[in-house]
Amino acid sequence: MDFLVLFLFYLASVLMGLVLICICSKTHCLKGLVRGGAQIFSYIIPECLQRAMHRLLHYLFHTRNHIFIVLHLVLQGMVYTEYTWEVFGYCQELEFSLYYLFLPYLLLIVNLFSFTLTCVTNPGIITKANELLFLHVYEFDEVMFPKNVRCSTCDLRKPARSKHCSVCNWCVHRFDHHCVWVNNCIGAWNIRYFLIYLLTLTASAATVAIVSTAFLVHLVVMSNLYQETYIDDFGHLHIMDTVFLIQYLFLTFPRIVFMLGFVVVLSFLLGGYLCFAVYLAATNQTTNEWHRGDGAWCWRCPLVARCPSAEPQVHQNIHSHGLWSNLQEIFLPAFPYHERKKQE
């Protein structure tokens, strides 16, 4: 049973890394790295396996499916099952504060609620009926978003800050990005739920990590393990060091230590992405706009494949009107879903 749980955590870590690579590969620099890596593997992996892998990746990241939603819930279920089954019980015996122990569950409830809203909320799909409404929401900057441009797929006039999602096959108002974890686009009408989801997910992972670490540290201090000695393979006596102590804890509580390592790594990854998302919200930018504007520094990277004459366009953010106004625009969007339904 322990081996199965450890294997599932390991598989989840690999899948998380794969998703992050695929998401990050949208930037110019990493596109070059990924392309170079693909060329190297093309000489090693058989062609039939390459085609199968290509079809799998296309299905996972370029078509709407519920695989990552299921994976997300499975990962959360595994972490919280292990936390409840072992960490919570041990901490109760050590008389940890119940407020401290129940905090991850409170964050889980808020996280699942915001996760559901992010999944099911209309991100701001542009249709014939609301096309004219969206054309007057944001000003055209004539650089990144010129006037009188039509979407070649939807045959609709493209409002400023909108983009056609190739995965969902529709144009989205204030398009940020397509998130495979929620199987939905992130746009003007669900970006607020996405930010709350990301915040609570980061906080829940960090809280589980803190509680688990506190339990292990408390256990080490109570049992005076750090003062113990051990004899190595050569018969030499050593004082307990950090590496040996971690090995001892892993052999004693393998699932707790492995879960701790998983949530610690997850906390740093999510924390970094959360800081980036907060920066975009504070400056009233979307991921799509940052990628095309502020992210243009990647064009100077020698790994980026581009035409010699290609130069990054000079773009200025004309939509930022101060921190409070920027956050108000996200959490109180211009055309909420219920108002759109009335006007249609």
Side-chain angles (χ1 to χ4, degrees), residues 21-60:
I21 289 174
C22 291
I23 293 175
C24 292
S25 65
K26 294 181 180 180
T27 62
H28 293 296
C29 289
L30 288 180
K31 273 184 178 179
L33 293 175
V34 172
R35 188 180 296 110
Q39 291 177 352
I40 294 175
F41 281 107
S42 64
Y43 297 106
I44 303 174
I45 302 176
E47 187 175 350
C48 59
L49 188 59
Q50 291 182 43
R51 289 196 297 268
M53 184 62 68
H54 178 75
R55 286 194 296 268
L56 176 62
L57 292 177
H58 183 271
Y59 174 75
L60 290 176

Side-chain angles (χ1 to χ4, degrees), residues 148-149 175 243 268 306:
N148 301 321
V149 175
F175 177 85
V243 175
F268 279 104
R306 59 184 182 274

Side-chain angles (χ1 to χ4, degrees), residues 210-223:
I210 292 172
V211 174
S212 302
T213 302
F215 158 68
L216 293 176
V217 170
H218 192 75
L219 186 67
V220 168
V221 172
M222 283 186 59
S223 58

Side-chain angles (χ1 to χ4, degrees), residues 287-298:
T287 303
N288 176 55
E289 292 166 359
W290 177 87
H291 170 64
R292 297 170 60 184
D294 290 347
W297 59 269
C298 292

Side-chain angles (χ1 to χ4, degrees), residues 113-179:
F113 182 68
S114 58
F115 173 72
T116 303
L117 289 176
T118 307
C119 292
V120 301
T121 300
N122 184 332
I125 301 172
I126 302 173
T127 63
K128 289 286 186 181
N130 59 26
E131 175 187 5
L132 292 178
L133 294 176
F134 288 128
L135 285 172
H136 298 92
V137 175
Y138 292 114
E139 182 182 354
F140 293 90
D141 60 7
E142 299 299 338
V143 177
M144 188 178 294
F145 301 106
K147 287 183 179 179
N148 301 321
V149 175
R150 302 189 73 88
C151 176
S152 58
T153 305
C154 300
D155 194 30
L156 299 171
R157 290 177 62 187
K158 298 186 67 172
R161 312 190 76 181
S162 67
K163 186 179 184 298
H164 183 88
C165 176
S166 59
V167 179
C168 299
N169 196 30
W170 55 46
C171 285
V172 177
H173 172 52
R174 199 185 185 278
F175 177 85
D176 192 273
H177 69 286
H178 179 87
C179 181

Side-chain angles (χ1 to χ4, degrees), residues 61-72:
F61 301 107
H62 298 283
T63 59
R64 285 178 62 86
N65 62 79
H66 295 85
I67 289 181
F68 285 99
I69 291 181
V70 175
L71 177 61
H72 176 280

